[in-house]
Amino acid sequence: MSSQKKSLNDIKNKKLLPGKGLINGEWVASSASGNSTFDVVDPATLDVLATLPEMDKSDTAKAVDAAYEAFKSFKKTTARSRARMLRKWSDLCHENADDLALIMTLENGKTLAEAKGEVIYGASFLEWFATQAEMVHGQVVPPANLNQRIVTFKQPIGVAACLAPWNFPVAMITRKCGAALAAGCTTVWKPAGETPLSALAQAVLAEEAGFPKGSINVITSLTTVAEVGEELCKNPKVHKLSFTGSTRVGKLLMQQCSSTLKKLSLELGGNSPFIVFDDAKMSTALDAAILAKFRNSGQTCVTANRVFVQAGIYDEFAKQLTERIKKLKVGAGTDSDTFVGPLTHERAVEKAMAHVEDAKKHGGQVVYGGEPMGDIGLKGYFFQPTVITGMKQEMLTTREETFAPVIGLYKFDTEEEVIELANDCDVGLGSFVITENMARSWRVAEALEVGMVGVNLGMLSACESPFGGVKGSGFGREGGTQGLDEYLVVKSMLINVAN
């Protein structure tokens, strides 16, 4: 066990901490009057980690202009040259993995083990899209008119705005920007104001890997996020926008993009059902539930938000789950034995408490936890791992992501019933099915109104698998072969071959 306090002073590669935004190859402060700044805070201790430029609309316009000019030459680079740069970037992530993990843990709160896992996971997208860059193919189309020949080919769409969330500050950058750069697009990054340091470190490595100036630009902001987002949406030089975040903000960005008809990828809110059938292997169900719920302290878009357990094993599952959860260590992510770190901001604690109180009001029983934690010697945003039984459809958790280490158990009787309950939701991102019956796993997976299904496991993402949802969870896919297509446009060429 290690409880030694760590800080950014422990970062070995100091180049990873540029402390400014990036526009056209230059590390710059805000152009706003007074060089406005904001603080990045450690959610475990509430200590200020760094002070960064509060960049605004004018800075964003400059970044877009730089990307637009750079695109004129970058789009002509070969797929192989871009692949080499992506692989170099991936290698640099591995070489600097410990530093990158510490930066992430300090600004986000997740454990060092999780953070290092995310760094490696994030690098896998760079390696994947390096491979995919050289596999962009067109078609020869059989013509109905024998005097014509028809071919199609794919080209980069243009400047891509990549808006990343705070819960996966490395992987969401590489998953979006790796695909964009592989396609030949230039980029403007807007990391979340809570976790910009990880994105800046990635930009340092991408430049070191050889990406030319203007191909990568990074806007840092916290309080000016609305005007920055609006500029990215309405600027006609931006042809593609990718956003991961809430459904509410996704709808707003879609409205703002309508005037310029941008191509959009929106990976929005989830409310994942986690379904445990009577025939499930108990150890598999427990392992998957704990991973799906408590990874990143419950702050993932595919976290197990509604846990449905069939009546025959409901009581035993609740008992064993509670016993397991009681053993989870809560603390700073820099402590080696911590399993559940802090939430990323105070609003998350308030929301978790609201969900717990609402469940109690409607008859739910809090069998463990249910309170913020102020007695562990840290000032940060900690919440007890919590188990609630007797969950009902009218409860707040049924309609909203809790985004905290709070797990509520719903009881069901039949397969048909649980499919109806799981689909009674206006979003559809991820889901989990725990069963030893292979036929049932297929039936349920096909019936669930979601973009992804995990069977007998607690994680849903891999670089080679497309990630995205349906309904209010948005559209478009990241990762997989589909991820690159989001940044390409198809062009047809018809040729007259008549004598």
mmCIF file of all heavy atoms in Angstrom, residues 2 6 97-106 108-122 168 291 294-297 331-341 459:
data_model
loop_
_atom_site.group_PDB
_atom_site.id
_atom_site.type_symbol
_atom_site.label_atom_id
_atom_site.label_comp_id
_atom_site.label_asym_id
_atom_site.label_seq_id
_atom_site.Cartn_x
_atom_site.Cartn_y
_atom_site.Cartn_z
ATOM 1 N N SER A 2 0.512 2.214 -0.832
ATOM 2 C CA SER A 2 1.264 3.462 -0.893
ATOM 3 C C SER A 2 0.311 4.626 -0.731
ATOM 4 O O SER A 2 -0.654 4.749 -1.461
ATOM 5 C CB SER A 2 2.004 3.578 -2.231
ATOM 6 O OG SER A 2 2.565 4.858 -2.355
ATOM 7 N N LYS A 6 1.246 12.398 -4.366
ATOM 8 C CA LYS A 6 1.914 12.643 -5.639
ATOM 9 C C LYS A 6 1.381 13.933 -6.242
ATOM 10 O O LYS A 6 0.260 14.374 -5.965
ATOM 11 C CB LYS A 6 1.690 11.473 -6.594
ATOM 12 C CG LYS A 6 2.334 10.164 -6.136
ATOM 13 C CD LYS A 6 2.126 9.059 -7.147
ATOM 14 C CE LYS A 6 2.738 7.750 -6.663
ATOM 15 N NZ LYS A 6 4.203 7.812 -6.611
ATOM 16 N N ALA A 97 3.970 6.151 -20.582
ATOM 17 C CA ALA A 97 2.717 5.678 -19.979
ATOM 18 C C ALA A 97 2.601 6.047 -18.501
ATOM 19 O O ALA A 97 1.515 6.439 -18.038
ATOM 20 C CB ALA A 97 2.590 4.168 -20.161
ATOM 21 N N ASP A 98 3.668 5.932 -17.741
ATOM 22 C CA ASP A 98 3.581 6.229 -16.309
ATOM 23 C C ASP A 98 3.279 7.705 -16.066
ATOM 24 O O ASP A 98 2.450 8.052 -15.210
ATOM 25 C CB ASP A 98 4.882 5.833 -15.612
ATOM 26 C CG ASP A 98 5.055 4.320 -15.516
ATOM 27 O OD1 ASP A 98 4.040 3.597 -15.578
ATOM 28 O OD2 ASP A 98 6.211 3.864 -15.392
ATOM 29 N N ASP A 99 3.947 8.586 -16.802
ATOM 30 C CA ASP A 99 3.685 10.021 -16.659
ATOM 31 C C ASP A 99 2.257 10.363 -17.088
ATOM 32 O O ASP A 99 1.550 11.133 -16.410
ATOM 33 C CB ASP A 99 4.671 10.831 -17.504
ATOM 34 C CG ASP A 99 6.026 10.993 -16.825
ATOM 35 O OD1 ASP A 99 6.138 10.670 -15.628
ATOM 36 O OD2 ASP A 99 6.970 11.446 -17.502
ATOM 37 N N LEU A 100 1.832 9.811 -18.212
ATOM 38 C CA LEU A 100 0.484 10.095 -18.708
ATOM 39 C C LEU A 100 -0.576 9.601 -17.723
ATOM 40 O O LEU A 100 -1.603 10.259 -17.517
ATOM 41 C CB LEU A 100 0.281 9.437 -20.072
ATOM 42 C CG LEU A 100 1.155 9.972 -21.210
ATOM 43 C CD1 LEU A 100 1.009 9.087 -22.450
ATOM 44 C CD2 LEU A 100 0.790 11.418 -21.550
ATOM 45 N N ALA A 101 -0.331 8.446 -17.111
ATOM 46 C CA ALA A 101 -1.274 7.908 -16.138
ATOM 47 C C ALA A 101 -1.364 8.801 -14.908
ATOM 48 O O ALA A 101 -2.462 9.056 -14.380
ATOM 49 C CB ALA A 101 -0.868 6.495 -15.742
ATOM 50 N N LEU A 102 -0.238 9.296 -14.437
ATOM 51 C CA LEU A 102 -0.248 10.152 -13.258
ATOM 52 C C LEU A 102 -0.971 11.468 -13.545
ATOM 53 O O LEU A 102 -1.759 11.947 -12.708
ATOM 54 C CB LEU A 102 1.173 10.420 -12.775
ATOM 55 C CG LEU A 102 1.303 11.305 -11.528
ATOM 56 C CD1 LEU A 102 0.485 10.748 -10.370
ATOM 57 C CD2 LEU A 102 2.771 11.470 -11.133
ATOM 58 N N ILE A 103 -0.722 12.044 -14.708
ATOM 59 C CA ILE A 103 -1.436 13.268 -15.078
ATOM 60 C C ILE A 103 -2.944 13.018 -15.043
ATOM 61 O O ILE A 103 -3.718 13.818 -14.487
ATOM 62 C CB ILE A 103 -0.999 13.741 -16.480
ATOM 63 C CG1 ILE A 103 0.439 14.251 -16.461
ATOM 64 C CG2 ILE A 103 -1.932 14.843 -17.001
ATOM 65 C CD1 ILE A 103 1.022 14.515 -17.841
ATOM 66 N N MET A 104 -3.370 11.914 -15.628
ATOM 67 C CA MET A 104 -4.798 11.605 -15.683
ATOM 68 C C MET A 104 -5.380 11.388 -14.295
ATOM 69 O O MET A 104 -6.471 11.899 -13.980
ATOM 70 C CB MET A 104 -5.035 10.371 -16.553
ATOM 71 C CG MET A 104 -6.497 10.143 -16.894
ATOM 72 S SD MET A 104 -6.813 8.523 -17.645
ATOM 73 C CE MET A 104 -5.534 8.409 -18.877
ATOM 74 N N THR A 105 -4.697 10.628 -13.465
ATOM 75 C CA THR A 105 -5.195 10.370 -12.117
ATOM 76 C C THR A 105 -5.344 11.658 -11.319
ATOM 77 O O THR A 105 -6.335 11.855 -10.610
ATOM 78 C CB THR A 105 -4.249 9.399 -11.386
ATOM 79 O OG1 THR A 105 -4.346 8.115 -12.002
ATOM 80 C CG2 THR A 105 -4.612 9.268 -9.916
ATOM 81 N N LEU A 106 -4.383 12.542 -11.440
ATOM 82 C CA LEU A 106 -4.423 13.786 -10.675
ATOM 83 C C LEU A 106 -5.565 14.695 -11.108
ATOM 84 O O LEU A 106 -6.200 15.341 -10.271
ATOM 85 C CB LEU A 106 -3.085 14.517 -10.789
ATOM 86 C CG LEU A 106 -1.906 13.849 -10.067
ATOM 87 C CD1 LEU A 106 -0.602 14.556 -10.405
ATOM 88 C CD2 LEU A 106 -2.137 13.829 -8.555
ATOM 89 N N ASN A 108 -8.337 13.705 -13.023
ATOM 90 C CA ASN A 108 -9.611 13.013 -13.174
ATOM 91 C C ASN A 108 -10.036 12.277 -11.914
ATOM 92 O O ASN A 108 -11.227 12.183 -11.612
ATOM 93 C CB ASN A 108 -9.524 12.030 -14.349
ATOM 94 C CG ASN A 108 -10.690 11.070 -14.432
ATOM 95 O OD1 ASN A 108 -10.679 10.039 -13.764
ATOM 96 N ND2 ASN A 108 -11.699 11.396 -15.233
ATOM 97 N N GLY A 109 -9.090 11.703 -11.181
ATOM 98 C CA GLY A 109 -9.406 10.994 -9.959
ATOM 99 C C GLY A 109 -9.362 9.489 -10.066
ATOM 100 O O GLY A 109 -9.300 8.799 -9.044
ATOM 101 N N LYS A 110 -9.403 8.924 -11.276
ATOM 102 C CA LYS A 110 -9.396 7.469 -11.389
ATOM 103 C C LYS A 110 -8.077 6.901 -10.891
ATOM 104 O O LYS A 110 -7.073 7.612 -10.800
ATOM 105 C CB LYS A 110 -9.676 7.027 -12.821
ATOM 106 C CG LYS A 110 -8.624 7.383 -13.844
ATOM 107 C CD LYS A 110 -8.988 6.864 -15.232
ATOM 108 C CE LYS A 110 -10.250 7.467 -15.770
ATOM 109 N NZ LYS A 110 -10.604 6.967 -17.119
ATOM 110 N N THR A 111 -8.078 5.621 -10.561
ATOM 111 C CA THR A 111 -6.876 5.013 -9.993
ATOM 112 C C THR A 111 -5.748 4.975 -11.013
ATOM 113 O O THR A 111 -5.982 4.995 -12.229
ATOM 114 C CB THR A 111 -7.164 3.579 -9.516
ATOM 115 O OG1 THR A 111 -7.443 2.757 -10.662
ATOM 116 C CG2 THR A 111 -8.343 3.537 -8.558
ATOM 117 N N LEU A 112 -4.530 4.896 -10.504
ATOM 118 C CA LEU A 112 -3.373 4.819 -11.402
ATOM 119 C C LEU A 112 -3.437 3.593 -12.297
ATOM 120 O O LEU A 112 -3.058 3.648 -13.473
ATOM 121 C CB LEU A 112 -2.075 4.808 -10.589
ATOM 122 C CG LEU A 112 -1.518 6.167 -10.158
ATOM 123 C CD1 LEU A 112 -0.370 5.988 -9.193
ATOM 124 C CD2 LEU A 112 -1.088 6.993 -11.367
ATOM 125 N N ALA A 113 -3.922 2.481 -11.749
ATOM 126 C CA ALA A 113 -4.037 1.271 -12.566
ATOM 127 C C ALA A 113 -5.020 1.487 -13.709
ATOM 128 O O ALA A 113 -4.759 1.117 -14.859
ATOM 129 C CB ALA A 113 -4.475 0.089 -11.703
ATOM 130 N N GLU A 114 -6.164 2.092 -13.411
ATOM 131 C CA GLU A 114 -7.137 2.387 -14.466
ATOM 132 C C GLU A 114 -6.575 3.391 -15.457
ATOM 133 O O GLU A 114 -6.781 3.271 -16.671
ATOM 134 C CB GLU A 114 -8.427 2.936 -13.857
ATOM 135 C CG GLU A 114 -9.358 1.900 -13.294
ATOM 136 C CD GLU A 114 -10.751 2.469 -13.041
ATOM 137 O OE1 GLU A 114 -11.350 3.041 -13.975
ATOM 138 O OE2 GLU A 114 -11.230 2.340 -11.909
ATOM 139 N N ALA A 115 -5.889 4.408 -14.949
ATOM 140 C CA ALA A 115 -5.347 5.447 -15.817
ATOM 141 C C ALA A 115 -4.311 4.867 -16.780
ATOM 142 O O ALA A 115 -4.311 5.183 -17.977
ATOM 143 C CB ALA A 115 -4.732 6.564 -14.980
ATOM 144 N N LYS A 116 -3.423 4.017 -16.262
ATOM 145 C CA LYS A 116 -2.423 3.417 -17.152
ATOM 146 C C LYS A 116 -3.103 2.511 -18.166
ATOM 147 O O LYS A 116 -2.711 2.468 -19.341
ATOM 148 C CB LYS A 116 -1.385 2.649 -16.353
ATOM 149 C CG LYS A 116 -0.206 2.203 -17.216
ATOM 150 C CD LYS A 116 0.960 1.735 -16.386
ATOM 151 C CE LYS A 116 2.140 1.368 -17.285
ATOM 152 N NZ LYS A 116 3.328 0.933 -16.486
ATOM 153 N N GLY A 117 -4.137 1.792 -17.725
ATOM 154 C CA GLY A 117 -4.904 0.979 -18.665
ATOM 155 C C GLY A 117 -5.521 1.815 -19.759
ATOM 156 O O GLY A 117 -5.545 1.415 -20.933
ATOM 157 N N GLU A 118 -6.004 3.007 -19.396
ATOM 158 C CA GLU A 118 -6.587 3.879 -20.425
ATOM 159 C C GLU A 118 -5.528 4.400 -21.386
ATOM 160 O O GLU A 118 -5.799 4.557 -22.585
ATOM 161 C CB GLU A 118 -7.327 5.059 -19.783
ATOM 162 C CG GLU A 118 -7.992 5.934 -20.832
ATOM 163 C CD GLU A 118 -8.694 7.162 -20.291
ATOM 164 O OE1 GLU A 118 -9.111 7.144 -19.126
ATOM 165 O OE2 GLU A 118 -8.828 8.140 -21.051
ATOM 166 N N VAL A 119 -4.339 4.703 -20.886
ATOM 167 C CA VAL A 119 -3.265 5.159 -21.777
ATOM 168 C C VAL A 119 -2.969 4.091 -22.832
ATOM 169 O O VAL A 119 -2.851 4.392 -24.032
ATOM 170 C CB VAL A 119 -1.997 5.492 -20.966
ATOM 171 C CG1 VAL A 119 -0.816 5.747 -21.907
ATOM 172 C CG2 VAL A 119 -2.236 6.718 -20.087
ATOM 173 N N ILE A 120 -2.852 2.838 -22.394
ATOM 174 C CA ILE A 120 -2.572 1.751 -23.336
ATOM 175 C C ILE A 120 -3.754 1.550 -24.283
ATOM 176 O O ILE A 120 -3.578 1.333 -25.496
ATOM 177 C CB ILE A 120 -2.261 0.450 -22.568
ATOM 178 C CG1 ILE A 120 -1.091 0.670 -21.594
ATOM 179 C CG2 ILE A 120 -1.953 -0.682 -23.533
ATOM 180 C CD1 ILE A 120 0.155 1.246 -22.218
ATOM 181 N N TYR A 121 -4.955 1.614 -23.726
ATOM 182 C CA TYR A 121 -6.182 1.513 -24.539
ATOM 183 C C TYR A 121 -6.240 2.657 -25.553
ATOM 184 O O TYR A 121 -6.533 2.443 -26.739
ATOM 185 C CB TYR A 121 -7.368 1.537 -23.591
ATOM 186 C CG TYR A 121 -8.731 1.721 -24.213
ATOM 187 C CD1 TYR A 121 -9.259 0.782 -25.096
ATOM 188 C CD2 TYR A 121 -9.517 2.817 -23.865
ATOM 189 C CE1 TYR A 121 -10.533 0.945 -25.635
ATOM 190 C CE2 TYR A 121 -10.782 2.988 -24.390
ATOM 191 C CZ TYR A 121 -11.284 2.047 -25.276
ATOM 192 O OH TYR A 121 -12.539 2.215 -25.799
ATOM 193 N N GLY A 122 -5.941 3.876 -25.104
ATOM 194 C CA GLY A 122 -5.942 5.017 -26.016
ATOM 195 C C GLY A 122 -4.928 4.851 -27.133
ATOM 196 O O GLY A 122 -5.199 5.156 -28.304
ATOM 197 N N PHE A 168 -12.856 10.051 -19.833
ATOM 198 C CA PHE A 168 -11.771 9.299 -20.486
ATOM 199 C C PHE A 168 -10.936 10.294 -21.297
ATOM 200 O O PHE A 168 -11.034 10.363 -22.521
ATOM 201 C CB PHE A 168 -12.335 8.184 -21.368
ATOM 202 C CG PHE A 168 -12.953 7.060 -20.587
ATOM 203 C CD1 PHE A 168 -14.307 7.031 -20.328
ATOM 204 C CD2 PHE A 168 -12.153 6.036 -20.093
ATOM 205 C CE1 PHE A 168 -14.875 6.011 -19.588
ATOM 206 C CE2 PHE A 168 -12.709 5.004 -19.344
ATOM 207 C CZ PHE A 168 -14.078 4.993 -19.096
ATOM 208 N N LEU A 291 -17.174 -4.575 -12.311
ATOM 209 C CA LEU A 291 -16.408 -3.867 -13.334
ATOM 210 C C LEU A 291 -17.282 -2.861 -14.072
ATOM 211 O O LEU A 291 -16.898 -1.696 -14.264
ATOM 212 C CB LEU A 291 -15.810 -4.866 -14.325
ATOM 213 C CG LEU A 291 -14.982 -4.278 -15.464
ATOM 214 C CD1 LEU A 291 -13.796 -3.489 -14.930
ATOM 215 C CD2 LEU A 291 -14.505 -5.388 -16.400
ATOM 216 N N PHE A 294 -18.405 -0.043 -11.180
ATOM 217 C CA PHE A 294 -17.488 0.727 -10.342
ATOM 218 C C PHE A 294 -16.216 1.170 -11.053
ATOM 219 O O PHE A 294 -15.401 1.886 -10.464
ATOM 220 C CB PHE A 294 -17.157 -0.075 -9.083
ATOM 221 C CG PHE A 294 -18.370 -0.260 -8.201
ATOM 222 C CD1 PHE A 294 -19.104 -1.429 -8.252
ATOM 223 C CD2 PHE A 294 -18.795 0.751 -7.363
ATOM 224 C CE1 PHE A 294 -20.229 -1.600 -7.474
ATOM 225 C CE2 PHE A 294 -19.923 0.604 -6.570
ATOM 226 C CZ PHE A 294 -20.647 -0.577 -6.621
ATOM 227 N N ARG A 295 -16.027 0.756 -12.296
ATOM 228 C CA ARG A 295 -14.893 1.286 -13.068
ATOM 229 C C ARG A 295 -15.035 2.800 -13.189
ATOM 230 O O ARG A 295 -16.117 3.320 -13.454
ATOM 231 C CB ARG A 295 -14.876 0.628 -14.459
ATOM 232 C CG ARG A 295 -13.713 1.021 -15.324
ATOM 233 C CD ARG A 295 -13.632 0.110 -16.541
ATOM 234 N NE ARG A 295 -14.789 0.230 -17.400
ATOM 235 C CZ ARG A 295 -14.794 0.894 -18.567
ATOM 236 N NH1 ARG A 295 -13.700 1.481 -19.001
ATOM 237 N NH2 ARG A 295 -15.881 0.951 -19.298
ATOM 238 N N ASN A 296 -13.942 3.506 -12.956
ATOM 239 C CA ASN A 296 -13.950 4.969 -13.002
ATOM 240 C C ASN A 296 -14.988 5.544 -12.040
ATOM 241 O O ASN A 296 -15.637 6.552 -12.317
ATOM 242 C CB ASN A 296 -14.195 5.477 -14.429
ATOM 243 C CG ASN A 296 -13.742 6.908 -14.625
ATOM 244 O OD1 ASN A 296 -12.974 7.440 -13.830
ATOM 245 N ND2 ASN A 296 -14.235 7.546 -15.675
ATOM 246 N N SER A 297 -15.181 4.865 -10.909
ATOM 247 C CA SER A 297 -16.127 5.300 -9.862
ATOM 248 C C SER A 297 -17.556 5.440 -10.387
ATOM 249 O O SER A 297 -18.324 6.265 -9.904
ATOM 250 C CB SER A 297 -15.666 6.627 -9.236
ATOM 251 O OG SER A 297 -14.364 6.501 -8.696
ATOM 252 N N GLY A 331 -10.534 5.864 -1.983
ATOM 253 C CA GLY A 331 -9.446 6.767 -1.639
ATOM 254 C C GLY A 331 -8.917 7.488 -2.861
ATOM 255 O O GLY A 331 -9.502 7.440 -3.955
ATOM 256 N N ALA A 332 -7.809 8.157 -2.688
ATOM 257 C CA ALA A 332 -7.164 8.870 -3.797
ATOM 258 C C ALA A 332 -6.677 7.866 -4.826
ATOM 259 O O ALA A 332 -6.199 6.778 -4.487
ATOM 260 C CB ALA A 332 -6.006 9.710 -3.290
ATOM 261 N N GLY A 333 -6.797 8.215 -6.082
ATOM 262 C CA GLY A 333 -6.374 7.318 -7.147
ATOM 263 C C GLY A 333 -4.898 7.010 -7.127
ATOM 264 O O GLY A 333 -4.458 6.008 -7.700
ATOM 265 N N THR A 334 -4.112 7.845 -6.452
ATOM 266 C CA THR A 334 -2.670 7.614 -6.382
ATOM 267 C C THR A 334 -2.295 6.559 -5.350
ATOM 268 O O THR A 334 -1.151 6.110 -5.320
ATOM 269 C CB THR A 334 -1.947 8.928 -6.041
ATOM 270 O OG1 THR A 334 -2.565 9.519 -4.891
ATOM 271 C CG2 THR A 334 -2.015 9.898 -7.205
ATOM 272 N N ASP A 335 -3.247 6.152 -4.488
ATOM 273 C CA ASP A 335 -2.988 5.068 -3.533
ATOM 274 C C ASP A 335 -3.116 3.726 -4.252
ATOM 275 O O ASP A 335 -4.124 3.463 -4.916
ATOM 276 C CB ASP A 335 -3.964 5.122 -2.365
ATOM 277 C CG ASP A 335 -3.664 6.248 -1.397
ATOM 278 O OD1 ASP A 335 -2.621 6.901 -1.574
ATOM 279 O OD2 ASP A 335 -4.477 6.478 -0.486
ATOM 280 N N SER A 336 -2.153 2.860 -4.058
ATOM 281 C CA SER A 336 -2.092 1.635 -4.847
ATOM 282 C C SER A 336 -3.231 0.672 -4.570
ATOM 283 O O SER A 336 -3.566 -0.161 -5.412
ATOM 284 C CB SER A 336 -0.749 0.923 -4.610
ATOM 285 O OG SER A 336 -0.605 0.589 -3.237
ATOM 286 N N ASP A 337 -3.841 0.742 -3.371
ATOM 287 C CA ASP A 337 -4.913 -0.199 -3.063
ATOM 288 C C ASP A 337 -6.303 0.395 -3.247
ATOM 289 O O ASP A 337 -7.300 -0.230 -2.892
ATOM 290 C CB ASP A 337 -4.757 -0.747 -1.634
ATOM 291 C CG ASP A 337 -4.751 0.349 -0.582
ATOM 292 O OD1 ASP A 337 -4.633 1.531 -0.970
ATOM 293 O OD2 ASP A 337 -4.857 0.030 0.613
ATOM 294 N N THR A 338 -6.403 1.585 -3.790
ATOM 295 C CA THR A 338 -7.711 2.195 -4.049
ATOM 296 C C THR A 338 -8.394 1.514 -5.231
ATOM 297 O O THR A 338 -7.778 1.282 -6.269
ATOM 298 C CB THR A 338 -7.560 3.700 -4.334
ATOM 299 O OG1 THR A 338 -7.150 4.358 -3.137
ATOM 300 C CG2 THR A 338 -8.881 4.310 -4.802
ATOM 301 N N PHE A 339 -9.666 1.204 -5.066
ATOM 302 C CA PHE A 339 -10.473 0.657 -6.162
ATOM 303 C C PHE A 339 -11.482 1.696 -6.661
ATOM 304 O O PHE A 339 -11.775 1.770 -7.851
ATOM 305 C CB PHE A 339 -11.219 -0.604 -5.706
ATOM 306 C CG PHE A 339 -11.834 -1.387 -6.831
ATOM 307 C CD1 PHE A 339 -11.116 -2.400 -7.463
ATOM 308 C CD2 PHE A 339 -13.118 -1.118 -7.292
ATOM 309 C CE1 PHE A 339 -11.668 -3.110 -8.521
ATOM 310 C CE2 PHE A 339 -13.677 -1.827 -8.346
ATOM 311 C CZ PHE A 339 -12.954 -2.828 -8.957
ATOM 312 N N VAL A 340 -12.017 2.508 -5.749
ATOM 313 C CA VAL A 340 -12.983 3.546 -6.096
ATOM 314 C C VAL A 340 -12.394 4.899 -5.729
ATOM 315 O O VAL A 340 -12.161 5.198 -4.557
ATOM 316 C CB VAL A 340 -14.325 3.346 -5.359
ATOM 317 C CG1 VAL A 340 -15.315 4.458 -5.729
ATOM 318 C CG2 VAL A 340 -14.915 1.975 -5.689
ATOM 319 N N GLY A 341 -12.127 5.712 -6.734
ATOM 320 C CA GLY A 341 -11.576 7.041 -6.502
ATOM 321 C C GLY A 341 -12.672 8.077 -6.323
ATOM 322 O O GLY A 341 -13.854 7.740 -6.215
ATOM 323 N N MET A 459 -17.160 -5.045 -19.796
ATOM 324 C CA MET A 459 -16.628 -3.946 -20.594
ATOM 325 C C MET A 459 -17.095 -4.095 -22.031
ATOM 326 O O MET A 459 -17.326 -5.216 -22.501
ATOM 327 C CB MET A 459 -15.100 -3.901 -20.534
ATOM 328 C CG MET A 459 -14.562 -3.465 -19.188
ATOM 329 S SD MET A 459 -12.754 -3.292 -19.169
ATOM 330 C CE MET A 459 -12.535 -1.898 -20.274
#
